[in-house]
Amino acid sequence: YIGLYTLVVIGVVLLTGVAGLTSFGQAAFVGIGAYTAAYLNLNHAISPWLTVFVGLALTLASALVLAALTLRMSGHYLPLATIAWGLSLYYVFGNLDGLGRYDGLTGIAPISFFGLPLNSGRRFFYLLWALVLLAALGAINLLDSRPGRALRALNGGATMAEAMGVNTLRYKVTVFVLAALLASLAGWLLAHYQRTVNPSPFGLKMGIEYLFMAVIG
């Protein structure tokens, strides 16, 4: 679970710690990845290695829509907007019959790697931490690049960054989408590790806890 949470929190560090955009809704993106994997695997017997890409595509689309609606806001309005859509997605998960309502979905197949099912914590450990390390290295390389310096400039306010020729809205959308995709990947892993999904890990409480993890970490 430390590894699963770390994937989400790397995105929160980029979004909030570096770019200065506070979001309480990252748990909802975890839910999109988890429910996509669970629904497609249970109802259409699609391999986990394919459901991950569908989940990432759905997350990308939803993140772009939410970014267009909320990232032009500033001050307290942005965090309040993330609370609103985070709660909305939580109640969508809990009220759709196809997603099992608040009871959720059970019996999800484990991820298999060359015919070996990763159905124990020891087997799952290696895939999970390989992905966490790749995400961490990717974040470090991003922050050491020219776009990374532009992201760091956002934290000091948009005016100075725009004066230096930085397209602040584009970089805000980019880091928002990256954080959402990392959360969705964690959701895919969570669904196939627990082999059951229900709305409780995807509410506002977990969104706040992810922020605490980033701050304390």
Side-chain angles (χ1 to χ4, degrees), residues 80-92:
L80 288 172
T82 64
I83 290 172
W85 56 253
L87 285 172
S88 299
L89 285 174
Y90 169 76
Y91 285 113
V92 166

Side-chain angles (χ1 to χ4, degrees), residues 9 13 209-217:
V9 172
V13 168
E209 287 191 12
Y210 288 133
L211 276 174
F212 275 128
M213 291 175 197
V215 171
I216 294 170

Side-chain angles (χ1 to χ4, degrees), residues 2 11 13 32 37 39-40 47 63 66 70 76 92 99 113 117 122 131 139 143 164-165 185 192 204 206:
I2 292 170
V13 168
I32 292 174
Y39 181 83
L40 292 177
S47 165
L66 292 169
T70 60
H76 299 299
V92 166
L99 300 181
F113 194 71
R122 187 177 296 275
L131 291 173
L143 294 178
M164 296 295 107
L185 182 63
H192 290 289
L204 179 60
M206 274 309 301

Side-chain angles (χ1 to χ4, degrees), residues 52-77:
V52 61
F53 295 108
V54 180
L56 290 172
L58 287 175
T59 303
L60 174 64
S62 59
L64 287 172
V65 171
L66 292 169
L69 293 174
T70 60
L71 289 185
R72 295 181 187 275
M73 301 178 183
S74 59
H76 299 299
Y77 296 104

Side-chain angles (χ1 to χ4, degrees), residues 115-209:
L116 178 69
L118 308 183
N119 54 2
S120 69
R122 187 177 296 275
R123 290 179 177 179
F124 195 82
F125 178 93
Y126 298 104
L127 171 65
L128 169 62
W129 282 99
L131 291 173
V132 171
L133 289 173
L134 284 174
L137 289 172
I140 291 168
N141 287 329
L142 171 64
L143 294 178
D144 284 340
S145 67
R146 183 187 178 101
R149 290 191 290 275
L151 289 176
R152 292 179 190 275
L154 296 178
N155 210 347
T159 305
M160 179 61 73
E162 288 172 353
M164 296 295 107
V166 175
N167 185 335
T168 54
L169 181 59
R170 187 181 75 177
Y171 281 105
K172 285 179 181 180
V173 171
T174 300
V175 73
F176 185 81
V177 169
L178 280 175
L181 292 176
L182 286 171
S184 180
L185 182 63
W188 171 72
L189 290 164
L190 176 69
H192 290 289
Y193 174 62
Q194 291 190 151
R195 303 183 65 186
T196 181
V197 171
N198 66 73
S200 58
F202 313 127
L204 179 60
K205 177 177 177 291
M206 274 309 301
I208 294 170
E209 287 191 12

